[in-house]
């Protein structure tokens, strides 16, 4: 019918299919996807004349969580024969209008699909994202976060992070967006009770803090993360079994869950926004290094990554990095790093620990920082043990280079 119908009829049919897809149940949605795929095969020339009606709903459908339905929309997109970036740019206002309606829908499925679609738009367009379109799309996503927590709501925060970071601007304010409102929404959502949801939101917030400059919110970030990483103190007034149970939990406290891993990562990437780094960096390094002993090996990798983020700020803010401060920071970090150098089971842990060890002592050499003799001897002892036992030739070479560096520049002849 579409192949031979007049243009106005084609427009009406496509509009009806779009409405059904957005408003009906899963069975109807799958049928709409199947019909659109059949139409694409039967009358591709007709659909190419109505791209403005087909492209937005097809891009939206490509983000369905239902595999069969998504595959149908993927085939429609391929048949349209369009370049992702160029067609999204051309029909961005239509795509945004469709997502705006869906983000206000009572259907969780539609909201998640709309958020995923806007996230893809930001990723595909990157620096080509039209500046005038960013503020309204950010406002759409911010408004959608006001809803109560529902399964998949984290997709909205993820799309928001991608929209803010993909254009590669240095500041949120450069996007024409209200920075305080954006940051407050992320911090508010990080305080929700659903730990799995909070874990995903913390990762999105980390992307924002790493990708664009925002005002100092380190205090709030520390409060949020430390709630997952520090066991609750015992209450003096508690007695009996309740006090024993809390003490047992404290003594066996470990950092092993996904929310805890996200909190560790957020500490590392969020550190860059702290304005008074010299007052708090030693304490943060002691905290990260000290917690290596109660982490699972996977989270030790995240701890090392966070520690690396923190140490790198010493080089990016050199006006505040005195020799004494660097010495204190490195001495606080080294014990935790050496614990990971000694990990004989996990190559990835040793690899990152050796990389950090090299970073610390190369920085000491460059900046003329004198580290205590006992610390140097201790590092040499651990790294030589690693070299002697190492089966991985790349890591063995890393260890040998560190030993040579220490013997040449830090050990008195």
């Amino acid at each position: 019918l579409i192949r031979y119908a007049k243009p106005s009829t084609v427009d009406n049919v496509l509009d009806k299919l779009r409405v059904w897809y957005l408003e009906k149940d899963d069975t109807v949605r799958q049928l709409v996807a199947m019909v659109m795929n059949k139409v694409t095969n039967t009358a591709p020339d007709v659909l190419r004349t109505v791209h403005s009606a087909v492209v937005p709903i097809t891009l939206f459908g490509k983000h369905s969580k239902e595999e069969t339905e998504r595959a149908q929309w993927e085939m429609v997109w391929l048949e349209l024969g369009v370049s992702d970036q160029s067609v999204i740019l051309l029909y961005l206002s239509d795509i945004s209008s469709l997502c705006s309606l869906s983000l206000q829908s009572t259907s969780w499925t539609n909201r998640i699909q709309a958020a995923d679609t806007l996230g893809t738009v930001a990723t595909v367009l990157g620096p080509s994202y039209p500046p005038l379109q960013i503020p309204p799309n950010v406002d759409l996503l911010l408004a959608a976060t006001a809803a109560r927590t529902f399964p998949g709501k984290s997709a909205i925060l993820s799309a928001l992070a991608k929209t803010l970071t993909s254009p590669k601007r240095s500041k949120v304010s450069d996007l024409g967006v209200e920075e305080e409102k954006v940051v407050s929404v992320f911090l508010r959502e990080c305080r929700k009770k659903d730990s799995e949801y909070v874990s995903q939101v913390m990762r999105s917030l980390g992307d924002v803090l790493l990708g664009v400059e925002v005002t100092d919110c380190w205090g709030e970030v520390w409060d949020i993360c430390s709630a997952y990483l520090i066991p609750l103190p015992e209450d003096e007034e508690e007695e009996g079994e309740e006090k024993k149970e809390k003490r047992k939990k404290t003594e066996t406290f470990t950092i092993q869950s996904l929310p805890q891993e996200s909190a560790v990562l957020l500490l590392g990437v969020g550190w860059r926004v702290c304005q008074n780094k010299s007052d708090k960096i030693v304490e943060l390094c002691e905290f990260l290094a000290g917690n290596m002993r109660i982490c699972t090996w996977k989270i030790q990798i995240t701890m090392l990554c966070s520690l690396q983020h923190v140490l790198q700020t010493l080089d990016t803010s050199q006006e505040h990095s005195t020799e004494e401060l660097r010495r204190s920071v490195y001495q606080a970090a080294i014990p935790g790093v050496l614990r990971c150098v000694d990990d004989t089971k996990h190559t990835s842990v040793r690899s990152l620990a050796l990389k950090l060890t090299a970073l610390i002592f190369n920085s000491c050499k460059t900046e003329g920082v004198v580290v205590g003799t006992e610390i140097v001897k201790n590092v040499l002892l651990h790294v030589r043990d690693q070299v002697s036992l190492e089966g991985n030739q790349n890591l063995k070479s890393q260890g040998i280079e560190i030993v040579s560096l220490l013997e040449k520049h830090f050990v008195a002849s």
Side-chain angles (χ1 to χ4, degrees):
L1 288 174
I2 283 182
R3 185 175 183 180
Y4 299 106
K6 58 185 181 180
S8 60
T9 302
V10 172
D11 290 340
N12 290 335
V13 170
L14 291 176
D15 189 55
K16 179 63 72 174
L17 288 173
R18 180 183 64 81
V19 171
W20 282 348
Y21 185 74
L22 295 177
E23 296 181 359
K24 299 297 182 178
D25 60 25
D26 290 346
T27 303
V28 175
R29 288 165 62 92
Q30 291 182 28
L31 286 171
V32 169
M34 184 181 70
V35 168
M36 286 297 295
N37 188 24
K38 293 293 184 182
V39 169
T40 306
N41 293 328
T42 307
D45 294 338
V46 175
L47 286 193
R48 290 191 183 102
T49 65
V50 286
H51 266 180
S52 61
V54 178
V55 167
I57 191 64
T58 304
L59 183 64
F60 185 85
K62 280 176 59 180
H63 293 86
S64 169
K65 299 300 181 186
E66 206 287 314
E67 188 175 348
T68 306
E69 179 188 321
R70 184 172 63 253
Q72 298 277 4
W73 287 113
E74 291 278 4
M75 292 171 70
V76 174
W77 188 264
L78 289 174
E79 286 295 330
L80 290 175
V82 291
S83 162
D84 284 7
Q85 187 178 76
S86 61
V87 79
I88 288 174
L89 267 175
L90 187 59
Y91 299 110
L92 183 55
S93 60
D94 298 305
I95 295 168
S96 298
S97 297
L98 176 63
C99 291
S100 174
L101 290 173
S102 299
L103 284 170
Q104 298 171 50
S105 168
T106 56
S107 165
W108 293 349
T109 301
N110 281 356
R111 293 187 202 176
I112 295 168
Q113 260 184 263
D116 287 339
T117 302
L118 288 177
T120 295
V121 166
T123 302
V124 171
L125 295 184
S128 301
Y129 208 133
L132 294 178
Q133 192 62 53
I134 294 174
N137 283 353
V138 168
D139 288 340
L140 287 176
L141 292 165
L142 287 174
T145 64
R148 69 184 181 87
T149 304
F150 57 86
K153 184 184 175 184
S154 58
I156 297 173
L157 282 300
S158 176
L160 183 57
K162 290 174 183 175
T163 304
L164 293 168
T165 57
S166 291
K168 308 299 182 187
R169 306 292 197 277
S170 59
K171 297 180 181 179
V172 173
S173 55
D174 292 342
L175 302 170
V177 175
E178 191 178 342
E179 179 186 313
E180 185 178 348
K181 186 176 181 181
V182 169
V183 175
S184 65
V185 164
F186 275 103
L187 294 175
R188 180 194 72 203
E189 295 301 306
C190 282
R191 293 189 177 96
K192 295 294 177 71
K193 293 181 179 179
D194 185 335
S195 59
E196 183 178 347
Y197 168 70
V198 169
S199 172
Q200 294 163 329
V201 175
M202 284 195 285
R203 301 218 170 216
S204 295
L205 175 56
D207 291 339
V208 172
L209 298 182
L210 192 60
V212 290
E213 291 183 18
V214 299
T215 53
D216 187 351
C217 58
W218 172 249
E220 291 88 344
V221 168
W222 170 257
D223 290 342
I224 290 167
C225 296
S226 60
Y228 287 89
L229 302 175
I230 300 175
L232 291 173
E234 294 180 18
D235 192 333
E236 293 291 335
E237 297 180 1
E238 287 181 352
E239 295 181 358
E241 292 299 321
E242 189 174 350
K243 188 169 185 177
K244 287 180 181 178
E245 185 65 25
K246 184 171 283 188
R247 180 177 296 152
K248 183 179 178 181
K249 286 182 179 179
T250 301
E251 291 171 351
T252 59
F253 184 78
T254 56
I255 298 176
Q256 59 185 348
S257 68
L258 191 59
Q260 288 175 316
E261 182 178 13
S262 298
V264 170
L265 192 59
L266 181 57
L267 281 180
V269 298
W271 173 247
R272 67 189 296 270
V273 305
C274 180
Q275 295 299 310
N276 299 318
K277 290 185 172 65
S278 57
D279 295 339
K280 300 168 184 174
I281 189 169
V282 176
E283 180 185 353
L284 178 59
C285 287
E286 286 175 346
F287 177 79
L288 292 173
N291 279 329
M292 293 292 183
R293 61 185 177 78
I294 58 171
C295 293
T296 60
W297 71 269
K298 289 183 179 180
I299 298 186
Q300 279 184 337
I301 294 174
T302 309
M303 280 279 187
L304 290 169
C305 288
S306 288
L307 194 55
Q308 183 177 6
H309 278 294
V310 175
L311 294 178
Q312 285 172 341
T313 61
L314 288 171
D315 297 320
T316 56
S317 56
Q318 290 190 343
E319 67 274 10
H320 303 298
S321 303
T322 63
E323 181 182 340
E324 183 59 38
L325 179 62
R326 283 178 179 269
R327 184 184 299 109
S328 300
V329 169
Y330 294 150
Q331 289 178 350
I334 285 171
V337 175
L338 291 182
R339 178 179 285 274
C340 296
V341 169
D342 293 341
D343 187 329
T344 57
K345 292 183 179 180
H346 306 105
T347 303
S348 52
V349 175
R350 290 198 308 281
S351 174
L352 190 50
L354 289 169
K355 182 179 177 181
L356 271 182
T357 305
L359 183 149
I360 289 171
F361 284 97
N362 276 315
S363 179
C364 287
K365 185 186 79 170
T366 303
E367 301 297 328
V369 177
V370 179
V371 183
T373 305
E374 290 302 317
I375 292 178
V376 174
K377 287 181 179 178
N378 193 31
V379 174
L380 270 173
L381 178 65
H382 284 267
V383 178
R384 280 171 177 160
D385 285 346
Q386 176 267 329
V387 169
S388 65
L389 298 171
E390 187 60 68
N392 183 300
Q393 287 303 312
N394 289 332
L395 297 190
K396 195 180 192 78
S397 298
Q398 278 184 260
I400 291 171
E401 287 177 9
I402 293 170
V403 170
S404 299
L405 173 68
L406 293 175
E407 289 178 341
K408 184 176 181 180
H409 297 282
F410 296 92
V411 177
S413 54

